[in-house]
Amino acid sequence: MTLLLVFLGGIVGAPARYLLDRLVQRLHDSVFPWGTLSVNLSGSFVLGLLFGAHDHLGLPTAMVTLLGTGFCGAFTTFSTFGFETVRLLEEGSVLEAGLNALGSLVLGVLAAAAGFALAALLG
């Protein structure tokens, strides 16, 4: 059952990532990977919210598996983040690469913490 939940969440998460990434990136005329940053930050927030809801609101583990592991796992993308950071460095966009790396890490952790805190407040 767990594998099926992960699979079903991934079926929705992967295309959602692609569509949001393309939409956000189209809105910015910049070498900075705003699309990837957007999906990773929103996915971090949702994952924090899910685990907070599990701990404080009694969200069933099956929902965390479906939405957290399945959807968020397919929605967020560490590999694209890594590749785009390297690409920025290769193009000489050192400042943008540093901002992407540091910003993604710091803001991602803060987004996850905010999601968890919101669920705790609601509980």
Side-chain angles (χ1 to χ4, degrees):
M1 183 63 169
T2 300
L3 184 59
L4 179 61
L5 291 172
V6 172
F7 180 75
L8 292 173
I11 286 173
V12 177
R17 177 189 68 79
Y18 175 78
L19 292 172
L20 181 59
D21 176 82
R22 294 295 83 206
L23 173 70
V24 170
Q25 202 59 43
R26 246 183 264 144
L27 297 174
H28 296 89
D29 185 25
S30 167
V31 297
F32 192 83
W34 291 108
T36 301
L37 181 64
S38 297
V39 297
N40 286 340
L41 295 182
S42 59
S44 294
F45 177 81
V46 169
L47 191 59
L49 185 64
L50 289 169
F51 276 96
H54 179 267
D55 289 357
H56 301 287
L57 300 170
L59 183 70
T61 300
M63 290 301 293
V64 175
T65 301
L66 171 72
L67 299 173
T69 306
F71 177 82
C72 289
F75 183 70
T76 59
T77 174
F78 188 80
S79 58
T80 302
F81 153 74
F83 171 76
E84 289 175 343
T85 303
V86 169
R87 182 183 49 92
L88 287 169
L89 288 170
E90 288 179 342
E91 293 174 355
S93 300
V94 176
L95 177 62
E96 288 86 351
L99 288 173
N100 188 44
L102 186 61
S104 292
L105 176 62
V106 171
L107 295 175
V109 170
L110 290 174
F116 191 88
L118 176 60
L121 273 174
L122 296 173

